[in-house]
Amino acid sequence: MTNRINGQWRLKSRPIGLVTENDFEYVETNLPDISEGEVLVRNIYLAFEPAMRGWLNDVKSYVPPVKIGEVMRASTVGQVIESNNPEFQPGQYVTGMMGWQEYFIDNGAPGAMGRSLNKVPEGVAPELMLSALGGTGLTAYFGMLDIGQPQKGDVVVVSGAAGATGSVAGQIAKIKGAAKVVGIAGGSEKCNWLTEELDFDAAIDYKAENVFDRLTEECPDGINIFFDNVGGQILDDALLNMAMNGRIVLCGGISSYNATELPPGPKNYMQLVIRRCTMQGFILIDYFHRATEAVAELADWVANGELKHAEDIQQGIENTPKTFLRLFEGKNKGKQLLRIAEPPF
Ligand SMILES: NC(=O)c1ccc[n+]([C@@H]2O[C@H](COP(=O)([O-])OP(=O)(O)OC[C@H]3O[C@@H](n4cnc5c(N)ncnc54)[C@H](OP(=O)(O)O)[C@@H]3O)[C@@H](O)[C@H]2O)c1
């Protein structure tokens, strides 16, 4: 037995409505010695995504719910500090679904969501593997390119545009030749960031402006691609502004993740018929087998400055549930991360 204590955040109760800090509890356990073939990782960054709210509900979904008493599932990046596995050397940065905890012991078997540990390539900042070069970048990449299929000259609208996925999705559309990319986000500061730093052509502050009117103004010939992270009223406003043969990419619907009663479906869905549009959802896990091709292209764009990435980094494992709540409070700009340790170990 090592003398190491593993601080963990576990699910204490299933949230009803808005998730709260009290739905989790902090527990310290003794860390066992690693066995043959195992690797001990010290987590450095925890990553947060709105979908984690869905994993707390006891319902059938694309992954099983997190069990009461279980360490909260999350993607993280860390450093190998002990290894009984020739594949991994101490000092190697790795990423995986290692959860809300300080240490993780990996035995090489595929973990939550079918993923096992991946090495962070030499020279890549570890936190990038959780943002532009990780699940966030891959979601934006496959959602925009495979489902949205941008064509040169398209008008593209992205909701949740100042968040992790939205900020990357909008930039990818621009890189692929969209004539105009419009972001929808909460607050003037986020909107200015989109237009001044990320090269979005326009931004709509859904908290202060009429989204339907502004979409009509910004997209007079209609929207060719609507990349939706939000759902609800914003989806309905976009439906009424779609161009003929437009594509709606259903990436997520954060506006209802904490709802106790689901809103009625999009009332303007008949526009899909009238304007011959498609509306298609997707889940990133179906694209994991193509991750290498996406990461190579995303890494090139990051390296040549075409794709700007942003990480919102909070500090301290004690702030884990609080950091998760930032997503639903709209406090994050870019990828929400939490730094819980400082190498060297
Ligand atoms: N399909 C997939 O495989 C997949 C994979 C990853 C993520 N997703 C989805 O992609 C979306 C974005 O995820 P992310 O990780 O990039 O998170 P994120 O956008 O970085 O963070 C969430 C953002 O959503 C906005 N928001 C919160 N409550 C809202 C509400 N009621 N109405 C409108 N906007 C609200 C906030 O920005 P504002 O300040 O602008 O309100 C907040 O910053 C989520 O819906 C997520 O579930 C899907």
Side-chain angles (χ1 to χ4, degrees), residues 48-52 62 135-136 138-140 159-167 184-187 190 204 206-207 227-231 234 250-258 281-287 326-336:
F48 298 82
E49 37 242 354
M52 293 159 74
Y62 61 97
T136 290
L138 297 180
T139 302
S159 64
T165 311
S167 59
I184 305 175
K190 286 187 177 183
I204 299 172
Y206 77 92
K207 290 185 174 165
F227 188 103
D228 191 20
N229 290 308
V230 166
I234 289 177
L250 291 183
C251 179
I254 192 171
S255 66
S256 64
Y257 287 179
N258 286 295
F282 74 103
I283 290 286
L284 173 64
I285 51 181
D286 298 339
Y287 288 93
R326 287 173 63 82
L327 298 172
F328 304 104
E329 297 161 344
K331 287 189 173 155
N332 66 303
K333 206 166 71 181
K335 183 69 190 182
Q336 184 66 69

Side-chain angles (χ1 to χ4, degrees), residues 155-159 161 170 180-184 194 200-204 214-215 218-219 226:
V155 171
V156 177
V157 175
V158 180
S159 64
K180 183 167 188 175
V181 176
V182 180
I184 305 175
L194 290 173
F200 279 57
D201 300 285
I204 299 172
R214 290 283 289 112
L215 284 174
E218 293 292 346
C219 315
F226 177 47

Side-chain angles (χ1 to χ4, degrees), residues 1-2 4-8 29-43 71 76 78-85 88 94 96-99 101-112 115-117:
M1 184 74 74
T2 68
R4 290 197 177 94
I5 300 292
N6 189 15
Q8 304 179 317
T29 61
N30 288 316
L31 202 64
D33 290 326
I34 55 171
S35 308
E36 198 52 40
E38 289 186 334
V39 171
L40 175 63
V41 180
R42 177 75 163 99
N43 267 331
V71 175
T76 70
Q79 193 174 33
V80 173
I81 54 173
E82 283 177 20
S83 177
N84 284 339
N85 182 325
F88 295 93
V94 289
M97 299 294 291
M98 296 185 274
Q101 58 185 337
E102 291 177 294
Y103 295 95
F104 178 80
I105 295 176
D106 184 75
N107 59 12
R115 290 161 81 186
S116 42
L117 284 190

Side-chain angles (χ1 to χ4, degrees), residues 207-288:
K207 290 185 174 165
E209 299 182 281
N210 180 307
V211 174
F212 171 78
D213 288 349
R214 290 283 289 112
L215 284 174
T216 310
E217 197 175 289
E218 293 292 346
C219 315
D221 298 323
I223 302 166
N224 300 109
I225 299 176
F226 177 47
F227 188 103
D228 191 20
N229 290 308
V230 166
Q233 185 58 45
I234 289 177
L235 172 58
D236 256 324
D237 290 336
L239 274 163
L240 281 180
N241 277 287
M242 293 305 293
M244 285 289 283
N245 302 117
R247 282 89 66 206
I248 297 180
V249 182
L250 291 183
C251 179
I254 192 171
S255 66
S256 64
Y257 287 179
N258 286 295
T260 42
E261 206 170 308
L262 288 177
K267 60 178 180 290
N268 297 325
Y269 79 97
M270 272 305 289
Q271 296 303 317
L272 299 174
V273 179
I274 295 162
R275 302 180 197 198
R276 290 77 147 176
C277 295
T278 59
M279 180 154 95
Q280 189 180 336
F282 74 103
I283 290 286
L284 173 64
I285 51 181
D286 298 339
Y287 288 93
F288 279 159

